[in-house]
Amino acid sequence: MHVVTVIGNRPQFVKAAAVSRALRAEHDELLVHTGQHHDDELSTVFVEELGVPRPERELGIHGGTNTEQTARMLAALGPLLATERPDVLLVYGDTNSTLAGGLAAAQARIPVAHVEAGMRSFDRAMPEELNRVLTDHLSDLLLCPSETAVANLEHEQAAGRIELVGDVMVDVALLFQPRALADTASLHRAGVEPGGYVLVTAHRAGNVDDPGRLRLLVDLLLALPVPAVLPLHPRTRARLEAAGWLAELEAAPDVRLQPPLGYLEFTSLLGHARAVLTASGGVQKEAYLAGVPCVTMRDTTEWVETVAAGWNVLVDLDATAAVAALDRRPPAKRPPLYGDGRAGPRVVAALAGVPAAR
Ligand code: UDP
């Protein structure tokens, strides 16, 4: 089978780490990196660390509005798919790269397999939600991380074949967590002790693009009762600089700004944290897997099971609610929610059942 996989941003490199090697053991894969995340620290670091194959094609497309970026990706992917004529096109998650890959293939009548299908926040104001819904409804094979995702797709009467495979990020977390936890160099560098800090990520457009929301985020960080370690995404850094608030955070003694980190360093900081404060879907899930309470700076989440299990609290950008949530004791139980760490091989097996190109 000839598979073209389209990835473009940080979590997609992590997800590809669970699938690409297993895929290449049985099939022929061409990995296309759209360039959506072009900084090395958000992309190539994972090639080296997690063993993701080096992308065979780099489209170098980044910047612009979501619409422009998606359009440029579509324009580049059309000719590429016409030449490659893969048996299946594989995409992950909910980014512009996901939608562009899926749509370019569907229009060329190439079957589409979507990993992380069926996730919903039910908030159409999120560009990611539009990308998810549209990709699911043009896909032939819908590979779901959870039973909730399966139920969402059944409810929407999605046309593709639905399979519950588990979450590919769980594969990666289970594989790398022990090694990551054993190395605490990233804690020393940030000047924190195990259990004595909150690990923060904050880069969702809805939290940083609007200066009013960004200010709420800064105030929330300044209100935290324990040191906060914050690997700063380039988007957030740029927005803070533009608003003139970066220096304020740099000067705050209990906010430890870091560059974006590699997966192992980040996973070590996450596993040893007292709690995680984030708006990232992947990080909410990784906190659950690591048994670290999570406070989510959104008012919706796709990872609803983590909230129902009592390990995740949604606070949006409300500082008082965030401080109260950080004070909660974690529940006694942490049932396995997102699979057994063998989602990658199940994705590969499912591809064999994809309908032939039309
Ligand atoms: N991550 C990382 N270094 C960091 C921050 C995050 O390796 O400094 C990893 C994290 O472990 C997770 C993924 O990147 O696997 C999440 O990416 P991101 O938060 O960019 O994605 P989102 O979930 O917001 O789409």
Side-chain angles (χ1 to χ4, degrees):
M1 223 177 192
H2 180 39
V3 182
V4 168
T5 302
V6 177
I7 59 173
N9 77 349
R10 174 164 64 188
Q12 288 168 335
F13 275 87
V14 176
K15 290 164 196 172
V19 177
S20 274
R21 265 170 308 158
L23 182 61
R24 286 172 189 227
E26 290 184 37
H27 304 291
D28 158 42
E29 183 191 45
L30 181 95
L31 191 60
V32 179
H33 174 24
T34 59
Q36 195 175 335
H37 275 167
H38 55 289
D39 317 68
D40 283 351
E41 51 198 359
L42 299 187
S43 53
T44 39
V45 61
F46 302 107
V47 170
E48 281 130 37
E49 256 193 331
L50 303 184
V52 183
R54 194 162 289 282
E56 280 83 14
R57 300 286 171 83
E58 306 253 2
L59 304 183
I61 297 168
H62 48 82
T65 64
N66 286 320
T67 318
E68 285 161 359
Q69 198 183 80
T70 309
R72 277 157 49 219
M73 289 176 186
L74 281 168
L77 286 166
L80 187 152
L81 293 178
T83 311
E84 291 293 326
R85 291 302 311 167
D87 299 301
V88 59
L89 183 291
L90 181 65
V91 282
Y92 299 93
D94 56 20
T95 69
N96 297 337
S97 306
T98 314
L99 176 60
L103 185 54
Q107 285 180 332
R109 304 189 70 73
I110 293 163
V112 177
H114 183 204
V115 174
E116 217 175 81
M119 301 311 294
R120 297 288 181 268
S121 67
F122 301 102
D123 176 4
R124 291 284 174 110
M126 286 173 68
E128 295 92 339
E129 181 77 354
L130 297 178
N131 290 338
R132 286 181 199 122
V133 172
L134 293 170
T135 306
D136 281 341
H137 285 270
L138 54 76
S139 291
D140 299 85
L141 186 58
L142 296 155
L143 300 164
C144 297
S146 67
E147 281 166 18
T148 308
V150 172
N152 288 338
L153 292 171
E154 284 171 349
H155 180 71
E156 292 174 19
Q157 301 188 317
R161 205 178 78 225
I162 301 169
E163 278 196 38
L164 178 61
V165 291
D167 192 303
V168 290
M169 278 178 130
V170 174
D171 298 24
V172 184
L174 292 183
L175 194 63
F176 288 96
Q177 247 177 27
R179 180 143 63 96
L181 286 175
D183 184 354
T184 49
S186 52
L187 277 76
H188 298 305
R189 259 195 301 282
V192 290
E193 298 291 328
Y197 63 95
V198 176
L199 177 65
V200 186
T201 76
H203 53 265
R204 191 164 286 279
N207 284 352
V208 302
D209 284 0
D210 169 64
R213 300 267 305 162
L214 184 64
R215 186 64 232 179
L216 289 176
L217 172 67
V218 171
D219 289 339
L220 191 159
L221 294 174
L222 296 174
L224 294 176
V226 280
V229 179
L230 169 52
L232 205 53
H233 191 282
R235 173 187 208 124
T236 313
R237 175 173 285 277
R239 300 293 183 272
L240 286 168
E241 252 170 1
W245 299 327
L246 184 61
E248 193 179 341
L249 280 185
E250 280 169 344
D254 273 348
V255 179
R256 317 280 159 87
L257 297 182
Q258 304 279 301
L261 301 171
Y263 186 83
L264 289 173
E265 281 189 326
F266 184 80
T267 301
S268 177
L269 278 165
L270 182 139
H272 291 296
R274 175 165 139 192
V276 168
L277 180 66
T278 189
S280 150
V283 176
Q284 290 172 57
K285 199 169 42 187
E286 286 167 349
Y288 183 82
L289 286 171
V292 176
C294 185
V295 178
T296 296
M297 295 182 284
R298 290 176 50 191
D299 56 6
T300 59
T301 181
E302 307 78 56
W303 304 97
V304 287
E305 300 85 356
T306 59
V307 176
W311 283 85
N312 189 5
V313 182
L314 305 179
V315 299
D316 199 11
L317 291 175
D318 181 332
T320 312
V323 171
L326 287 170
D327 235 18
R328 281 166 36 117
R329 290 170 65 86
K333 287 201 183 124
R334 193 163 48 90
L337 293 177
Y338 300 118
D340 56 2
R342 295 190 41 77
R346 281 195 204 98
V347 168
V348 177
L351 290 179
V354 90
R358 287 156 284 181

